Amino acid sequence: MLNTVSLAGRIAQTPVLQRTSGDAAYVRFSIACDRDYRQVDKQRETDFIPCMAWRQTAEFLCQHFQKGSPVIITGRLEVNSWKTPDGEQRREMLVSVDDVYFGESRSKENPAPQKM
């Protein structure tokens, strides 16, 4: 089965690196993606897509991107389910990020690092 996602947008909030109890780096963030169409006399709608990156990809993202940075990511869609302490069933969809790319070229004086 095929499960691949590619997104181009802007980082919605500055990513903050976190660590698991086993010291694995991770970051949760959102990408703001404008829809391709707009209704007459209205602004274009924006979707905020939740994402999660692990280990070196998370470290790279936190080191080189901040709120508003253009970004291109590839990964896979994941659906996580759990029960709350009250017994309610919850679900969350997010993109598990495999690769991160700069969404715009950088100047010659400040060359872009390699992708992760």
Side-chain angles (χ1 to χ4, degrees):
M1 299 294 152
L2 182 64
N3 180 0
T4 59
V5 174
S6 297
L7 296 171
R10 293 190 178 273
I11 301 288
Q13 71 276 352
T14 299
V16 177
L17 191 68
Q18 299 180 44
R19 297 211 173 259
T20 65
S21 58
D23 204 37
Y26 73 95
V27 63
R28 294 179 69 98
F29 63 101
S30 295
I31 294 181
C33 300
D34 288 340
R35 294 187 182 178
D36 288 338
Y37 60 89
R38 77 173 98 178
Q39 295 177 359
V40 178
D41 297 331
K42 291 191 177 182
Q43 285 189 330
R44 209 173 282 241
E45 290 186 42
T46 302
D47 294 307
F48 293 87
I49 316 289
C51 303
M52 188 167 198
W54 288 90
R55 297 174 186 78
Q56 292 90 354
T57 305
E59 291 172 355
F60 177 84
L61 195 123
C62 290
Q63 193 172 36
H64 297 288
F65 293 87
Q66 60 188 0
K67 180 179 179 177
S69 297
V71 65
I72 300 168
I73 63 162
T74 61
R76 64 192 176 283
L77 188 61
E78 289 185 359
V79 180
N80 300 316
S81 300
W82 70 94
K83 279 192 177 182
T84 66
D86 298 335
E88 292 181 50
Q89 187 69 30
R90 298 285 173 104
R91 293 177 66 154
E92 171 190 51
M93 269 192 187
L94 60 81
V95 176
S96 180
V97 177
D98 294 325
D99 295 302
V100 177
Y101 303 90
F102 291 99
E104 65 185 10
S105 61
R106 299 183 45 144
S107 68
K108 290 181 182 178
E109 299 146 10
N110 192 9
Q114 298 299 314
K115 68 120 180 145
M116 284 302 289

